[in-house]
Amino acid sequence: MTGAEVLSVIIQRLGTNCGITSINRELASVLYDISSRADFLTTVSQVVTSDGTAEYDEPAGLKQVYECFVSSSMPLEEKTYRDYLAYMAEDGAAGEPTMFARRHNKLYFWPVPDGVYTVNVDHARYHPETWTDVLFGVEFSEAIFEGVLAALYK
C-alpha cells in the first residue's frame, strides 16, 4: 500500500469535496505510532566491521535487538555498556566479536574486530519516516485509515 492509496481511501470516506490533498504528516505519525506499540516490523540488517574499530551506528529505526551474530558463528552475547567498558579496560583484545553492547544509537563489539566481519543484527524496528510503500500488511489497513482520519480531525 502506498501513501497515494491511503489518501484515495480517506478522500472516498470523507467525500470528494473534503478538500484534503495531502496526508503525509498524519500518515507518518500513524505508521510510527503503530510500529511503537509492538514488534510488528522485524528485519535483519548487516553491520560490516573494520580492523580496530569497535563502535558502529545502529541500523536505522532500530527498536529492539533480538540477537547479533557473525555468519556461521554463535550469537554474540549481549552485555551492558558498563560491562563493555570493563572488558575494554581489562583487556584490549582483538579478534572476531563475541559480545556486543548498545548505547546512544551505537553498537559496540568486543573483542575489538581485527578485520572485516559481517555482523547480522536481527531486530525490531520503527516504520521509517520516509517511505515509498507502507511496510505493514493488509491486516493493518483499517487501523491506518482510522488513524489518519483521527489525526486529520485533531
Side-chain angles (χ1 to χ4, degrees), residues 64-129:
Q64 174 185 343
V65 174
Y66 298 128
E67 69 178 11
C68 291
F69 58 96
V70 177
S71 298
S72 74
S73 293
M74 295 296 294
L76 278 59
E77 187 177 349
E78 186 169 7
K79 296 289 187 178
T80 67
Y81 184 70
R82 286 182 185 255
D83 288 341
Y84 164 78
L85 292 176
Y87 282 113
M88 291 298 286
E90 288 175 15
D91 180 359
E96 181 177 323
T98 59
M99 296 181 230
F100 78 98
R102 292 179 61 199
R103 184 173 180 155
H104 302 303
N105 300 318
K106 300 285 185 184
L107 291 171
Y108 298 88
F109 298 115
W110 189 88
V112 175
D114 63 353
V116 175
Y117 296 96
T118 299
V119 179
N120 298 290
V121 182
D122 184 3
H123 64 284
R125 66 181 181 158
Y126 295 101
H127 199 285
E129 291 180 24

Side-chain angles (χ1 to χ4, degrees), residues 27-49:
L27 181 55
S29 176
V30 167
L31 296 175
Y32 181 84
D33 179 60
I34 292 171
S35 65
S36 70
R37 293 179 182 266
D39 294 345
F40 297 121
L41 300 175
T42 59
T43 192
V44 176
S45 299
Q46 295 181 332
V47 175
V48 178
T49 68

